[in-house]
Each structure stands twice: as structure tokens, then as C-alpha cells.
Amino acid sequence: MSSPTDKTRNKTRKETRKKTRQRRGSIAPSVAPSSEVLLRAEDLSLVRDGRHLLEDVSITLRREEIVTLLGPNGGGKTTLLQSLLGLYRASHGRVVRAKGLRIGYVPQRLNPSHLMPLSLRRFAHLGNDASVARVERSFSELGLSSLAEQPLYVLSGGELQKAMLARATAKKPDCLVLDEPLSGVDDAGRQRLYGWLERYSRENRCAILMASHDLHLVMAATDRVLCLDRRIRCEGKPQNVVQSKAFAKLFGSNRYALYAHRHDTNERP
């Protein structure tokens, strides 16, 4: 049986969530391309060693939707992504995934060792049920075909990021979870990859949730932006979020502008 103290605490928590949602409601969220919910977190909180890493975070990801997660270093972006993937167990709240959901995950970085001379092609198939044809198609789309037999440790940082994208997309996921996927990629390469991700999402009806701190390169194709600093401080369309007071408090919005990428629809990353 719940004690009076527990009831008071739960009431206070609910009132806090309601006020937070009301504050965030001043920024109109965009309409999702599809109503099919693939992944949802409800009031997710995570406490480790007495530190609150996430506080009452709620997020919904729909098919074909591209969501960019922004926030300062240490704000909980990676923790949230890994919680959604089930790598962390929440202290409070829950994560709901669509039945049979296929997720492709790209972590922040890969540090291959020369002691394990794994080729790019073998890496793409490692623990992956993707067909040979799908892997080769991913290589072709990302400009990796000529590197397929190269050991991972000789690839550049940008090539490694594309290698992880190729592996993640070859399995035809319903949802891509990308943690700083463009680290190590130069500005021109990032522009092309933004365009490629947009096309991939629409052509494959795939949702994309991407964490980033490249504020000046927030891609125009993003349907929704969430600003996270342990809790969600603001969310909505990119053009609305960058004008919000919460964004200005986190990042100093006058220093940043939305980057409207331009890309050739037939150009490879």
C-alpha cells in the first residue's frame, strides 16, 4: 500500500510533468509524416550513482519521421538513445517499441584495431542477417564499393562512419538510431550525407532519430528537433525551436542559424 508520502511525491511529479508540457507546448510540433508509432518513451528517468542523467523524458518516433536530438555535452543524448535501445534500464518510466521493430544503430565512434584485420565487407555482414545484395547496395549508395576489401583500421574517420551506416541500413531497419553519425566527416561530406539520410528515410519509410551537437548544420529535412539537457527543454520544428527562449538559454541562439542543405538527389555521399 502506498504511503501518504508516496502519494504526495507522485502528485508533485505529475504536476511538474504537466507544467513542463505546457511550457513546451508554446512551440508547435510538426505533423509527423506517418501516424504509425515505432518507438515511444514515457516519462523516462535514469539515476546512476545519485546523479540524474535523465528526468521525465517523453518522446515519440513515427515511421518516416526524422528527429534531431540536440543538447550540450553531458546533457544525456547518448544516455537517452541507449535507454531507448534497451542498453540502460530506466529508474522510472518505460520504453515501448512496435512489435517486430527492426532498429539500425550507429554509435558515436568505432576504433578498429590492426590486431583484428577485419575487412569492411566482413564487418558489414558480422552479426547481420542482411543479404549480400543489400550490403552491396548500401556500399554503392555510400560510395564504399571500392573499399569493401580494405581492413577497417586503414579507413578514415569519415569512411568508418559511412561503414557503420552501411551496416545499419543493409538490414532494412524500420528505425535508425544515430549517435553523432557525422563525426569525422568534413562539411561537404556532411551536406551530402544529410541529403542521403533524407532520401533513405522517405524511400524506405524509415524513421531516423539522430543525436547531434552540430547546431550550425541542423538539417532542413528534420521534421522535429528536441533540445535535451537531462530533460527536454524545448521541441518542435527547427525554425521555431531556434527562436525559443529555451534554445537561447542552452546555446545562445543568436550565434546559430538553420543550415538549409542543397543536394543533388542523384549524388552519392
Side-chain angles (χ1 to χ4, degrees), residues 78-221:
T78 296
T79 300
L80 175 58
L81 295 185
Q82 293 182 344
S83 297
L84 294 174
L85 292 169
L87 302 178
Y88 285 135
R89 184 175 181 179
S91 305
H92 176 80
R94 65 173 185 157
V95 175
V96 181
R97 303 178 188 86
K99 185 176 180 180
L101 183 67
R102 293 172 65 89
I103 299 178
Y105 174 51
V106 175
Q108 279 192 22
R109 62 183 62 86
L110 179 68
N111 297 309
S113 170
H114 69 281
L115 298 177
M116 184 180 290
L118 189 69
S119 72
L120 171 55
R121 179 169 281 117
R122 288 183 61 195
F123 168 72
H125 285 284
L126 190 66
N128 196 342
D129 61 359
S131 68
V132 171
R134 287 213 300 261
V135 169
E136 295 304 318
R137 178 178 177 180
S138 291
F139 283 173
S140 177
E141 290 180 349
L142 287 162
L144 295 172
S145 297
S146 63
L147 302 174
E149 298 304 327
Q150 293 294 314
L152 288 181
Y153 68 85
V154 306
L155 301 183
S156 68
E159 289 166 346
L160 280 172
Q161 292 303 112
K162 289 197 288 184
M164 288 191 287
L165 272 173
R167 184 177 185 277
T169 55
K171 62 194 293 185
K172 293 197 69 173
D174 302 296
C175 172
L176 274 175
V177 177
L178 312 176
D179 192 356
E180 305 284 359
L182 307 186
S183 60
V185 181
D186 60 26
D187 282 350
R190 274 184 275 186
Q191 293 176 36
R192 292 192 294 271
L193 277 170
Y194 282 148
W196 181 82
L197 285 170
E198 179 188 0
R199 295 194 304 276
Y200 182 87
S201 173
R202 305 313 180 209
E203 291 172 2
N204 296 277
R205 303 197 66 234
C206 176
I208 296 177
L209 176 60
M210 177 171 63
S212 176
H213 64 259
D214 290 327
L215 303 183
H216 65 296
L217 285 175
V218 173
M219 60 180 175

